[in-house]
Amino acid sequence: MSEDRVENDRFKRFDLDYLSSTNENLDIHWLTDEQESDEYEGLRPDEISALVLVSLGSLIKDVEDLHVALNVTEDDQ
């Protein structure tokens, strides 16, 4: 590990003696900002995939609308 790393609210350095003296769980978890919410938490995979398909469908419609608004023709592509 680089010695240049500075401790902050998302990173704290622990020495091996400290870790050995505790029963701390060393599993790594990604930190997220508190204001973020995981809209997919607790959903089944089929529910998540359905939400993704709806989002993609909406995105495709928006791009198609933009394409039309820009008057892009088949020859321009």
Side-chain angles (χ1 to χ4, degrees):
M1 180 174 293
S2 172
E3 294 300 320
D4 298 334
R5 188 90 189 249
V6 177
E7 287 189 23
N8 59 43
D9 60 335
R10 296 190 84 153
F11 172 77
K12 178 161 176 50
R13 188 181 308 260
F14 294 96
D15 62 31
L16 189 55
D17 290 334
Y18 172 79
L19 294 174
S20 298
S21 70
T22 67
N23 288 330
E24 296 291 327
N25 182 344
L26 300 179
D27 290 343
I28 295 174
H29 294 87
W30 292 107
L31 298 177
T32 58
D33 292 331
E34 289 180 22
Q35 67 270 18
E36 289 182 19
S37 66
D38 186 356
E39 63 185 289
Y40 302 119
E41 189 171 337
L43 296 179
R44 296 184 321 263
D46 62 312
E47 294 171 320
I48 294 171
S49 65
L51 289 172
V52 169
L53 287 173
V54 168
S55 294
L56 287 174
S58 177
L59 175 64
I60 289 171
K61 170 91 174 75
D62 290 345
V63 171
E64 287 172 341
D65 292 346
L66 176 62
H67 191 71
V68 169
L70 294 173
N71 295 316
V72 177
T73 65
E74 294 288 324
D75 296 332
D76 295 335
Q77 296 181 12

